[in-house]
Each structure stands twice: as C-alpha cells, then as structure tokens.
Amino acid sequence: MTLPFRTRLVLFSTVTFAVLLTVMSAVSYSLLGRQLNLDATADLAELTTGLHGYLKIDAGTPAIVFDDKDADQVAFVQEATRYYQIYDGEDGRLLVQSQGLEPLGLHFTPDEVRAFLDAPRAFDIQTAYGRFRFSNSPMSPATGGRYLLQVGASLDPMDAALGRFLDLLLWSALPSLLVAVVAVWWTVRTAVAPLSALARETRGITIGTLDRRLPTRGASDELDEVATAFNDTLSRLDTAVGEMRQFSSALAHELRTPLAALRAEIELSLMDSADNPERRTSAASQIEEIDKLTRLVNQLLTLARAESGEIPLGRNPVDLGALVPSVTEQLEPVAHAQDLRLECVVHQAVTVTGDAGWLERLLLNLLDNALKYTPAGGSIGVSVARVGDRARVDVRDTGTGISPDALPRIFERFYRVDPARSAVEGAGLGLSLAKWIVDRHNGRIEVESVPGTGSTFTVWLPSSPLVRTKINKT
C-alpha cells in the first residue's frame, strides 16, 4: 500500500531528523569525551611537572620541600601528592607512597618499573575505588641515582560528566523528536496547502466548465508553473471540445434535412406500391430505420446545444410531488403493453428550483431506460421524498442489472453496457443527457445495480423552502 504524499514527506523528514540527531549526539559525545580526556591528561602533566620542583631526593630518601605558609603552594602540593609514589629505578623498590594510594594496592615489579623508565607514558587503570590515570616521569637528582615518579588522578569526575551528558542526550532525544515531528508536520502542511488548493480547484472543473482557469499566486515558483501548465492544457481541451461540439451540432443539423427528404420519398413510393405487399413491407422497415436515425440526430443536436450553453434553463419552483406522478402516468400504457408493473409513491411533497421541462425529460429518460431493460413480468418503482434539505427521487427496476465494470461508464455518451443487453434499442445518449440535467440543477445522480436483480437510479436535488400538500399515488 502506497502512503499519501504528505505522510511520506513527514516520515522521510522525521527519519532524516532522527538520523541527524543521532549522528550529532554521537559526534558531540565523542568530542566531549576527547576534550575531557585531553584536559585530564594536561592537568595530570601539570601536577607531575609542578611536583618535580618541590621533590628532593637525598641519599635515596625522597622529601617534599615547600613553604607551608604559602596557601597556593600548600593547595598544589596537597593535590599533587594525593595519589603519588616513587620507585628506585635501580632495584625497583617502592620508596614512598601517599596515603590515598595505599588502599588501591598499586605495586609494580622491578621489571615493570624499568619498563616505565624506558618508556615514560601515562596509563589508565581500573580499581575497586574507580578509574585512575597515572603519569610516569624519570628523576635523576644531582646526588646520583635514578628514580620513577608516578602521579595519579581520578577519572571518575570525567566519567561522571560523560555519563550525565549521555543521560541528557537520551532524555532530550524523545522530546526533541516529538517537537521535530510536530514542526515537520506543520511545515509539510503549510507547504502542501497550495497543492491541496490547486487540487480542489481542479476537481471543480468538468467538461462543461473548461473555460475556468486555476489561480496563480504571482510568485513565479514551481506551483505557479504547474497551474500555468494546467491552464494551458485546459485551453487546448476547451478548444478541442468546442470544435467537437460544433462538429456534432453541425453534423446533426445537416443530417436532419436529407433524412426528412429520404423519408418523404419512401412514403411516396409506399403510396405507389399499394398492390405490392413485399415492397410495402420493405418501405415500412426503411421508414422505421430512418425514424431511429432521426431520433438519434435529434438527441445529438439537443445534447450538443445543451452542453454548449445554447439551451437556457429556467429557474422556477417545480413541485416534484406533482411532476413525478404525471410523468409516470404518461408511461403507464407503455409499461402495460410490455407486461410491466409501474408504481409511483410520493412520501413527502418536495419542491425544487429548476426547469420543469428538463426535469420531466430527466424522469422520462430514467423511466425509458428502466422500461428497456426490464423483462416482461417485472416491476418498476418511482418514489419521491425529502431528506433534510434535499429532494430524493428513486427509479428502481427488476431488470437485468449492470455489471460492476460498467457502472463507472454508464453516463458516458454512446456507451452501451455488456453484450447481454446489446439487443436493446438505443444509442447510449439518454443517461448522458440525464446526468447533464442533474448537474445543471446542482444535484447528483447515483446508481446501484446487481446483475440479474435490477438497478436503482437515485437523483439528489437541492430542495426549496416551498412545501406542498402530501400526495400518495400508487
């Protein structure tokens, strides 16, 4: 399943932000750890170098000499000697060890002492009292001998700072992500809003409103380019459809005269062949076919004129409670001749604003369609009701029904449904004209159908405030 564009854009932006947040957090944590590590090493080197100035070794006995009245010296020596020890570089003996270092149990062998003297570098060690870093620095006093000074510092403050920073990152990650989702959603919504507006404008354009154009914002950006390109397409379509309508209208108009002339000639030949039954039958069949062509031409001409706006529609109150039974009565003889039961029920009187003639044409087309496709012994029902502020007209039949594949196309011009119904006369213009009438009355037409069971056409029209007396007719 493909997600909507807005959702995909929000998800993509959120994932991108989450990845960037993770990368930035990891980089920040790494940089902070590196900087704290460099600071710890620099502080330890400063303590080691400073302690060298106060340390004296005489005859193998270390001593720290400083002015105990100088507060700065006292503070420095106390910090530098908190964790320190001195080894004799010759035999590896431990000469002195601070009290803070004794619990750690940190003792090295003579070989390890000589290794530290040969390569004096700092090292970290994990103890029961935490993690420590020690420096190794050789000492060669003027009195002779070689010694190893080790000065240590606890790394717990650095580890604690990194731990707090990591907790801060973790606790701020979810709120930051939520804020990012809201910000991204708002940004995407704001960015997509012009596209949604264009989509709404586009949905309002139909085959009868090709003269409308999408508005542009004057920003000369990508959205304006899309609107301009669509408007150019509408212009070309409007021109093409207009030419086709003119062609249909002109063709239908031009065909009416020769068809009328041809019918007249056949009628004359029919009068001259009174003593020839076969010729009379052939002429009658020809007249019937010409009448079919004439009806088709008239329908084409009517539809072309209607779509081009040449036929105006009235805007008067029309009582559907009276109009629908009247139309039904007109077709009762046709239904009786086809052995069909035709019923009309008006549940509530309802008035609409429109053209009574065209609304009558709408009902005639729907009922004619039902009569064509309902076999003998079936029934056709028409009902009128008010639903809220709308009028509802239902035309139900127990005919052959319409396949689900054909339902979306039944209102197209010249469309005929499945081959099982192809024997029925018609050019496929009735429902197309019916939809045009409904659209011009600001309504909508729906159809529900089950193959082999029947169909229901439902017309919804805006009702007017006028309400008439209740009528029931069956």
Side-chain angles (χ1 to χ4, degrees), residues 61-190:
T61 302
I64 298 177
V65 180
F66 63 97
D67 185 1
D68 57 2
K69 295 180 181 180
D70 188 333
D72 291 338
Q73 292 187 24
V74 172
F76 178 81
V77 171
Q78 286 179 352
E79 184 179 1
T81 59
R82 185 177 181 183
Y83 305 105
Y84 90 105
Q85 59 188 6
I86 300 176
Y87 287 90
D88 188 332
E90 301 298 334
D91 54 14
R93 287 182 302 109
L94 180 62
L95 300 179
V96 63
Q97 187 179 58
S98 64
Q99 291 183 354
L101 199 56
E102 289 178 0
L104 303 182
L106 190 62
H107 298 284
F108 297 101
T109 65
D111 292 336
E112 290 175 330
V113 171
R114 284 190 289 271
F116 286 138
L117 286 171
D118 294 337
R121 62 180 181 274
F123 65 92
D124 296 344
I125 185 170
Q126 182 70 43
T127 70
Y129 296 91
R131 200 161 67 97
F132 290 84
R133 177 168 295 171
F134 286 89
S135 65
N136 294 290
S137 59
M139 295 182 63
S140 301
T143 55
R146 194 179 182 202
Y147 303 92
L148 174 67
L149 171 63
Q150 290 184 331
V151 180
S154 176
L155 295 179
D156 287 345
M158 181 184 74
D159 294 340
L162 284 174
R164 288 192 296 270
F165 183 70
L166 181 60
D167 292 339
L168 178 63
L169 290 177
L170 294 177
W171 280 105
S172 62
L174 184 59
S176 299
L177 191 60
L178 291 177
V179 171
V181 170
V182 174
V184 166
W185 178 83
W186 181 85
T187 303
V188 170
R189 180 185 179 188
T190 303

Side-chain angles (χ1 to χ4, degrees), residues 6 189-206 212-219 221-231 234:
R6 180 180 300 182
R189 180 185 179 188
T190 303
V192 175
L195 284 176
S196 301
L198 287 178
R200 287 192 298 270
E201 292 289 339
T202 303
R203 281 192 290 269
I205 298 175
T206 63
R212 290 177 56 184
R213 296 295 180 266
L214 298 181
T216 57
R217 302 178 302 161
D221 56 4
E222 289 78 3
L223 292 176
D224 280 356
E225 290 182 6
V226 172
T228 302
F230 193 84
N231 288 338
L234 285 177

Side-chain angles (χ1 to χ4, degrees), residues 125-456:
I125 185 170
Q126 182 70 43
T127 70
Y129 296 91
R131 200 161 67 97
F132 290 84
R133 177 168 295 171
F134 286 89
S135 65
N136 294 290
S137 59
M139 295 182 63
S140 301
T143 55
R146 194 179 182 202
Y147 303 92
L148 174 67
L149 171 63
Q150 290 184 331
V151 180
S154 176
L155 295 179
D156 287 345
M158 181 184 74
D159 294 340
L162 284 174
R164 288 192 296 270
F165 183 70
L166 181 60
D167 292 339
L168 178 63
L169 290 177
L170 294 177
W171 280 105
S172 62
L174 184 59
S176 299
L177 191 60
L178 291 177
V179 171
V181 170
V182 174
V184 166
W185 178 83
W186 181 85
T187 303
V188 170
R189 180 185 179 188
T190 303
V192 175
L195 284 176
S196 301
L198 287 178
R200 287 192 298 270
E201 292 289 339
T202 303
R203 281 192 290 269
I205 298 175
T206 63
I207 191 67
T209 58
L210 290 176
D211 57 335
R212 290 177 56 184
R213 296 295 180 266
L214 298 181
T216 57
R217 302 178 302 161
S220 299
D221 56 4
E222 289 78 3
L223 292 176
D224 280 356
E225 290 182 6
V226 172
T228 302
F230 193 84
N231 288 338
D232 292 341
T233 302
L234 285 177
S235 298
R236 293 192 294 271
L237 284 175
D238 192 18
T239 302
V241 171
E243 292 176 352
M244 286 190 293
R245 286 172 177 169
Q246 292 179 357
F247 174 76
S248 298
S249 178
L251 180 64
H253 183 75
E254 293 297 329
L255 286 176
R256 295 174 70 181
T257 301
L259 285 175
L262 184 60
R263 190 180 194 280
E265 291 180 2
I266 296 176
E267 287 178 345
L268 289 176
S269 66
L270 184 62
M271 296 174 59
D272 296 338
S273 58
D275 55 348
N276 192 337
E278 292 183 359
R279 188 174 178 182
R280 289 179 59 85
T281 302
S282 176
S285 177
Q286 292 174 1
I287 291 175
E288 183 178 354
E289 293 299 324
I290 290 176
D291 288 342
K292 291 180 183 180
L293 286 175
T294 303
R295 287 195 297 272
L296 174 59
V297 168
N298 289 334
Q299 285 181 331
L300 274 174
L301 186 59
T302 300
L303 192 57
R305 289 178 175 176
E307 290 182 345
S308 61
E310 296 179 11
I311 303 178
L313 266 69
R315 304 298 297 175
N316 302 307
V318 179
D319 185 2
L320 292 182
L323 178 64
V324 173
S326 174
V327 174
T328 304
E329 288 180 358
Q330 296 179 35
L331 295 178
E332 281 182 352
V334 179
H336 180 73
Q338 297 180 206
D339 192 20
L340 298 175
R341 185 171 68 256
L342 179 60
E343 299 178 344
C344 177
V345 177
V346 179
H347 297 287
Q348 292 97 20
V350 57
T351 301
V352 300
T353 300
D355 190 301
W358 280 106
L359 290 176
E360 180 180 357
R361 182 72 170 269
L362 165 67
L363 295 171
L364 286 172
N365 284 1
L366 293 179
L367 286 171
D368 178 68
N369 186 75
L371 290 169
K372 287 179 180 179
Y373 298 120
T374 304
S379 63
I380 299 171
V382 186
S383 64
V384 181
R386 174 189 290 270
V387 182
D389 59 349
R390 295 181 299 174
R392 173 173 178 167
V393 179
D394 291 318
V395 178
R396 302 180 180 86
D397 65 63
T398 59
T400 56
I402 306 170
S403 66
D405 295 338
L407 278 177
R409 301 188 58 190
I410 59 172
F411 295 109
E412 295 179 8
R413 192 184 305 185
F414 298 112
Y415 181 75
R416 301 288 301 279
V417 295
D418 54 73
R421 304 174 70 178
S422 60
V424 179
E425 293 183 3
L429 293 175
L431 291 181
S432 178
L433 185 59
K435 187 176 187 307
W436 177 86
I437 297 171
V438 173
D439 290 341
R440 288 297 302 270
H441 283 81
N442 300 318
R444 75 175 191 272
I445 184 169
E446 302 170 347
V447 58
E448 295 180 359
S449 183
V450 178
T453 301
S455 305
T456 300

